[in-house]
């Protein structure tokens, strides 16, 4: 009888696998089948919270969740792209690469909060697939069920599923061509919704978009006389790229122009949009002014000089720098490098004093 692992190894697909512990039996089956070297580029088991944080670049808000599985799968896919680009003999096209992420909370020798469950995600150049599972048994039986479902979903996703196999209830988000180009690095920026000149931009993660964002852009438009747009980067420094499900979810919030980009840093944004004015919160400006975000103080000052050469400006809105302290640009401008301060215009607290943050909104909506 041909095993699922043999079916995968005989295909042209190659991938990277990240499994947090539950479901590790899948890796044993994957690696014990002859021919694994034709399929497996890398496999990781970040069992501890610290190990998972190291892979994802930050501690996830919930370790066993759909969002975390998707982030793991995207990081695995990025790793697959990286490894094949380093190997001139790999001979694998981007569309034949995948990343798989599995995060699980199965039965154990300690009490569990919530249902026994697992989240599986598979990322390819063209698609994001996710599957949520729940279990009600002992550890051994739950592990067997999970391993079987990983194989079923992986073979189905890669169109290697044997005839007669049961279809899963996975969620599928295909890529728009522009999204795929951004993820693969074949494009840098694309205007979504309508044409825009890129001269007034409010960058952010928008997870979620809220009224404060909209109000900031309105005030900046009135101040500059320019038509504004939001800017959402699929790339974030040291974190996984946004997957296609995440891109679709975030873009669905907007009824105004949006630039979707692969520009994680402000100096990259400034280079692509010369002469642009960026609308930012004070916390973001302070990160731009923090030499910890640069390779050296010299590199930071070079970036500030490049902002000037590119005619880059910042409209800066107040933010809560701690829970009880709303600050505006005037409160900190004396401590900013002059090369950056001269590029900034502050909005006073009488004009804008909104303490709402996307992080706070996510936390308030999370089930207790």
């Amino acid at each position: 009888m041909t095993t699922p692992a043999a079916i995968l190894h005989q295909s042209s697909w190659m991938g990277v696998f990240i499994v947090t512990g539950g479901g590790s039996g899948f890796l044993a089956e994957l690696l014990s089948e002859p021919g694994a070297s034709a399929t497996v580029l890398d496999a990781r088991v970040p069992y501890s919270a610290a190990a998972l944080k190291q892979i994802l670049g930050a501690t996830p808000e919930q370790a066993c969740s759909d969002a975390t599985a998707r982030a793991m799968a995207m990081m695995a896919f990025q790793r697959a792209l990286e490894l094949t680009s380093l190997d001139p003999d790999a001979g694998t096209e981007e569309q034949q690469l995948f990343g798989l992420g599995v995060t699980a909370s199965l039965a154990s020798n300690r009490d569990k909060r919530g249902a026994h469950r697992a989240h599986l995600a598979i990322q390819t150049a063209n698609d994001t697939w996710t599957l949520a599972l729940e279990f009600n048994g002992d550890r051994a039986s739950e592990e067997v069920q999970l391993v079987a479902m990983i194989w079923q979903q992986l073979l189905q996703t890669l169109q290697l599923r044997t005839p007669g196999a049961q279809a899963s209830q996975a969620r599928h988000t295909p890529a728009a061509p522009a999204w795929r180009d951004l993820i693969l690095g074949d494009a840098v920026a694309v205007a979504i919704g309508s044409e825009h000149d890129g001269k007034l931009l409010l960058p952010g993660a928008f997870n979620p978009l809220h009224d404060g964002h909209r109000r900031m852009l309105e005030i900046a438009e009135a101040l500059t006389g320019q038509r504004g747009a939001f800017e959402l980067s699929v790339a974030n420094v040291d974190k996984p790229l946004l997957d296609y499900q995440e891109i679709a979810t975030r873009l669905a919030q907007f009824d105004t122009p949006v630039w979707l980009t692969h520009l994680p840093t402000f100096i990259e944004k400034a280079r692509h949009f010369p002469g642009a004015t960026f609308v930012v919160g004070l916390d973001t400006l302070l990160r731009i002014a923090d030499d910890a975000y640069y390779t050296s103080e010299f590199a930071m000052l070079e970036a500030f000089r490049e902002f000037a050469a590119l005619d880059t400006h910042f409209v800066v809105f107040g933010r809560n720098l701690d829970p009880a302290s709303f600050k505006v640009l005037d409160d900190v401008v004396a401590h900013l490098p002059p090369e950056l301060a001269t590029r900034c215009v502050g909005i006073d607290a009488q004009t804008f004093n909104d303490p709402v943050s996307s992080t706070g909104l996510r936390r308030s909506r999370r089930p207790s």
Side-chain angles (χ1 to χ4, degrees):
M1 179 179 177
T2 304
T3 66
I7 294 172
L8 178 60
H9 296 337
Q10 290 164 15
S11 77
S12 58
W13 287 94
M14 301 178 72
V16 171
F17 306 80
I18 304 177
V19 181
T20 59
S24 57
F26 163 79
L27 295 179
E29 294 182 10
L30 177 75
L31 297 172
S32 61
E33 180 72 34
S37 62
T39 301
V40 181
L41 293 165
D42 193 4
R44 303 186 182 193
V45 184
Y47 208 80
S48 69
L52 184 60
K53 177 182 178 180
Q54 186 178 60
I55 286 176
L56 298 183
T59 301
E61 293 185 4
Q62 189 173 2
C64 185
S65 67
D66 174 80
T68 299
R70 285 187 281 111
M72 292 164 62
M74 178 54 84
M75 186 58 82
F77 178 68
Q78 290 177 241
R79 177 73 171 154
L81 289 171
E82 175 188 4
L83 290 172
T84 52
S85 71
L86 295 173
D87 182 0
D89 299 321
T92 299
E93 298 294 332
E94 292 163 338
Q95 60 265 30
Q96 294 299 110
L97 297 175
F98 68 90
L100 180 143
V102 180
T103 177
S105 179
L106 304 182
S108 70
N109 59 2
R110 57 187 177 84
D111 291 336
K112 293 278 189 177
R113 291 187 298 175
H116 298 179
R117 65 197 188 278
H119 292 272
L120 160 68
I122 301 167
Q123 182 67 48
T124 71
N126 296 309
D127 306 272
T128 300
W129 292 82
T130 61
L131 182 64
L133 302 165
E134 288 198 5
F135 306 96
N136 185 19
D138 58 27
R139 177 58 180 251
S141 66
E142 291 180 358
E143 179 73 18
V144 169
Q145 293 176 62
L146 176 54
V147 170
M149 289 304 300
I150 296 171
W151 278 120
Q152 178 181 319
Q153 186 58 53
L154 181 60
L155 295 186
Q156 179 175 310
T157 296
L158 305 183
Q159 298 184 341
L160 303 173
R161 184 165 58 91
T162 55
Q166 181 181 0
S168 77
Q169 300 299 312
R171 179 177 180 179
H172 173 218
T173 306
W179 305 356
R180 183 184 187 277
D181 290 346
L182 288 166
I183 292 297
L184 296 179
D186 295 331
V188 175
V190 60
I192 304 293
S194 65
E195 293 296 321
H196 186 266
D197 61 11
K199 294 302 183 183
L200 179 64
L201 298 171
L202 196 165
F206 309 113
N207 186 27
L209 175 71
H210 55 74
D211 288 342
H213 293 132
R214 297 185 181 93
R215 180 65 179 143
M216 288 167 67
L217 195 58
E218 289 174 359
I219 293 170
E221 287 179 326
L223 178 69
T224 64
Q226 295 176 330
R227 176 170 170 257
F230 297 100
E231 185 258 342
L232 171 65
S233 177
V234 301
N236 196 329
V237 178
D238 297 328
K239 293 181 181 179
L241 299 171
L242 297 184
D243 61 85
Y244 299 135
Q245 182 176 317
E246 197 66 37
I247 292 172
T249 298
R250 298 197 196 184
L251 287 181
Q253 303 175 102
F254 297 97
D255 54 10
T256 52
V258 184
W259 279 92
L260 190 65
T261 76
H262 191 131
L263 300 168
T265 66
F266 271 90
I267 193 62
E268 289 171 286
K269 298 180 201 296
R271 288 167 182 162
H272 187 77
F273 297 104
T277 296
F278 294 102
V279 182
V280 299
L282 183 60
D283 54 337
T284 298
L285 183 73
L286 293 177
R287 287 194 293 272
I288 294 172
D290 188 344
D291 59 9
Y293 289 88
Y294 301 84
T295 56
S296 65
E297 183 177 358
F298 176 78
M300 179 184 72
L301 294 176
E302 280 294 296
F304 297 162
R305 284 190 277 271
E306 192 169 356
F307 284 146
L310 292 166
D311 194 29
T312 301
H313 294 85
F314 300 90
V315 177
V316 184
F317 286 76
R319 287 296 302 270
N320 277 359
L321 299 184
D322 59 61
S325 179
F326 188 87
K327 300 290 187 181
V328 297
L329 178 63
D330 283 349
D331 295 319
V332 303
V333 69
H335 304 288
L336 293 175
E339 297 89 345
L340 179 62
T342 57
R343 315 304 303 170
C344 300
V345 173
I347 303 299
D348 60 46
Q350 287 71 39
T351 303
F352 181 89
N353 186 355
D354 189 341
V356 173
S357 71
S358 294
T359 301
L361 287 174
R362 287 199 307 277
R363 289 172 178 168
S364 67
R365 295 172 183 177
R366 192 187 311 162
S368 57

